C-alpha cells in the first residue's frame, strides 16, 4: 500500500496543498483561500477537509496518509506552539497536535514558512546534494531558513534563520518594521533594491535607463545593471554588498556547504549569485572554506516540498 | 564494572587530561607538555600513553574505558579531518581514528577546542539546563562554539561558531590576523579592550585611574569602569556594544536559549553580562524572545568536560 505525505503552506491569502511520494515526487498541488475569519479558527479544519477530499477523490485510503507538514507564516516555537501569528489571527495555537487530532492521530509537523521552504530547497531544490544549507528568500522582505546536517534550526523561540532583521547598514534613514534602521530586510529585498535605486537616481544627474521606467521594479534595476547602466550597477552593488556581508557572517556562524538564494530577486539569476559571491569572498577570508552560493529551484513550491519532508522526518521518528 | 571517559584538551603548550564518570563527575585531571617536535607526530601517542598509565595506576582495566574526546586548537572538518593545525604542526590528520587505533578501537571523538569548551559549559557549566547555547570565550582572542538541542555545530569546514572573525567595526585602524579590519576578535577580547582603553586615554586629557597603571590590563579597565572612571566606562561600553551587536546577530541566526560568556574577560562577572545584555536588548527587538546572557562556570576545565561529553555522545551512537 503506497504511502503519501501532504505538505501545506499556509499563507495570509491562500493555503497551498501538495501531495508527495516518499521519494519526493509531487503527485498533485492546489490552492484554496485561507479562511481568516474567527481568528483563523477554521484554517486547520479546512486543511483537514481538503486532505480528506483529495484522498477520497483520488482513491487513497486515510491509512495511506503517513504524515502532514505545515508551513506557518510566523514563528513556531521549538515545542510546536505558535504564540502569535498576526497573519492568521492565531495566538497560542499548537497547529501540529490540532491537525493531528482532526486526522485521526497521524503524525503532523509544523514549522515557520521560510524554514519549511529552506527544507524544500535542501531536499529537492537548489540545495540537493549538500548536507547543510542556509536558504535566503529575497522577496518583498528577506526571509531565511537554516538546515544543518539535515536538521532544521527552529531556534528556541522559533527565530532560527531570521537573518533579515540583522542590522547591516545603520546609515539607512528609513525605519524597518522591527523598529530598527538598516536591517538586511530593508536593503536586499526587492523593495529595498528599488528604494536604493531611486535614491541613487535622485542623487545624480547622470543618464540612466531607469529614469524612463514608469513604475520602477527590481527586475528593471537588474536588467539595466546587466546591460551596464552605471546607476543600476551602483544600486545592485550597494545592496548586494550587504547581502554578501550577511552571508559572510552566517558562514562564520553556522558554516554551511551552500547558501541558496530564492524569492523574486533571484529571478536575476546567476548574475545575482556572482555579484553576491564577490562581496562574500571579499569579506570571508576562508579560502576553500567558503560556501557555494546557488539559486533556488522550486519557486513558490519550496514550502510544500519542505513541509512534506518535515512530515516524513516526523513520521520516521 | 564502572565505565569512564577521558576528555583531552590539546593546546599548543600543554595537553590537559580529565577523567569523567558517565554522570559528569570529574575523577582526576592533570597536564603534560605537548610534544610539538616532528610535526606533532608524537602527540596522540603521548595521549594514549597517558590514558594507559592513568588506568594502570588507578586500577582501571582498559575494558572500562568507554571513550575519549579530543579538543583540537584548530578547525576540525565535519568528517573529522584536521586539514591544517598550525599550533600542533598537523596537516591532514584524522585524530579520532588515529587515537582509536592506538587504544584498541574504542570510540574517539574530536572537535575544535572552542566547540569542545562550549559543549562542556552546556553540559556541566553555565549552560546547564538550557537546550541550546552559544558559548563565547573572551581571552587574548574571541572564540565561540554553538550547541543546538544538544548537538555541536561543527560546520561543513569546521568553522561553526567562528564569530570572532565577523567584522563588526570597519572603522578599526589595525589589521586582524585574518587580514580584515574590525573583527569582533580585535574588540571584545582582553587585548582589544586594553587597546581601545589606551586609545581613549590618548585621545583625552580627562583624569583617569587608568593613567597610573604601569602595564594596563583588561582587569584594570573593568575595575576602574565598575568604580565609575569615565574613560574606563567609555572603553568598556564601546567594546561591549560590539559584543552586544554580535550576540544580537547570532540570536537572529541560531536563536539559542542562552549565551555563555567565558575566558579571562568574564572575570569581570555580572557587570560584563549586564552591560552586554543592555546593548543586546537594544539591538534585538525580540521582547521575550531574547536569550539569557550568563557567565561560564568551568574556567579552563570547560574543554576537558566538553571533550568527555563528546566521547559519551560518540560512544552512544
Amino acid at each position: 500500500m503506497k504511502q503519501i505525505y501532504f505538505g501545506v503552506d499556509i499563507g495570509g491569502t491562500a493555503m497551498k496543498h501538495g501531495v508527495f511520494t516518499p521519494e519526493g515526487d509531487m503527485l498533485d498541488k492546489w490552492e484554496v483561500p485561507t479562511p481568516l475569519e474567527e481568528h483563523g479558527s477554521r484554517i486547520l479544519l479546512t486543511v483537514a477537509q481538503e486532505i480528506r477530499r483529495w484522498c477520497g477523490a483520488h482513491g487513497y485510503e486515510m491509512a495511506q496518509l503517513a504524515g502532514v507538514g505545515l508551513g506557518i507564516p510566523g514563528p513556531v516555537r521549538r515545542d510546536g506552539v505558535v504564540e502569535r501569528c498576526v497573519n492568521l489571527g492565531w495566538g497560542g495555537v499548537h497547529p501540529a497536535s490540532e491537525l493531528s487530532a482532526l486526522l485521526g492521530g497521524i503524525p503532523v509537523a509544523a514549522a515557520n514558512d521560510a524554514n519549511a521552504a529552506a527544507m524544500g530547497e535542501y531536499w529537492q531544490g537548489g540545495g540537493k546534494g549538500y548536507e547543510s544549507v542556509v536558504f535566503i528568500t529575497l522577496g518583498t522582505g528577506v526571509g531565511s531558513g537554516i538546515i544543518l546536517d539535515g536538521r532544521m534550526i527552529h531556534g528556541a523561540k522559533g527565530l532560527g534563520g531570521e537573518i533579515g532583521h540583522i542590522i547591516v547598514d545603520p546609515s539607512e534613514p528609513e525605519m524597518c518594521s522591527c523598529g530598527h534602521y538598516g536591517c538586511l530586510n530593508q536593503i536586499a529585498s526587492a523593495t529595498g533594491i528599488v528604494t536604493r535605486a531611486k535614491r541613487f537616481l535622485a542623487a545624480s544627474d547622470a543618464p540612466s535607463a531607469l529614469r524612463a521606467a514608469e513604475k520602477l521594479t527590481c527586475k528593471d534595476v537588474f536588467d539595466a545593471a546587466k546591460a551596464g547602466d552605471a546607476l543600476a550597477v551602483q544600486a545592485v552593488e550597494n545592496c548586494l554588498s550587504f547581502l554578501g556581508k550577511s552571508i559572510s557572517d552566517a558562514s562564520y556562524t553556522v558554516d554551511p556547504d551552500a547558501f541558496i538564494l530564492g524569492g523574486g530577486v533571484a529571478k536575476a539569476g546567476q548574475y545575482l549569485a556572482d555579484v553576491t559571491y564577490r562581496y562574500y569572498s571579499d569579506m570571508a577570508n576562508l579560502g576553500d572554506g567558503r560556501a557555494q552560493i546557488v539559486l533556488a529551484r522550486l519557486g513558490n513550491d519550496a514550502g510544500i516540498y519542505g513541509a512534506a519532508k518535515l512530515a516524513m522526518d516526523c513520521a520516521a521518528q
Side-chain angles (χ1 to χ4, degrees), chain A residues 216-289:
Chain A
L216 193 65
T217 66
C218 182
K219 182 176 187 305
D220 294 336
V221 179
F222 272 99
D223 286 347
K226 287 178 191 174
D229 184 283
L231 278 168
V233 167
Q234 194 182 6
V236 165
E237 297 275 333
N238 176 269
C239 294
L240 298 189
S241 71
F242 293 106
L243 179 61
K245 165 77 168 116
S246 287
I247 286 178
S248 171
D249 294 357
S251 213
Y252 279 119
T253 309
V254 293
D255 184 19
D257 295 293
F259 288 86
I260 308 172
L261 304 182
V265 176
K267 289 184 183 149
Q270 196 55 39
Y271 177 78
L272 168 74
D274 291 343
V275 176
T276 306
Y277 190 83
R278 176 154 46 78
Y279 283 102
Y280 165 47
S281 44
D282 219 44
M283 267 171 275
N285 201 359
L286 293 170
D288 293 341

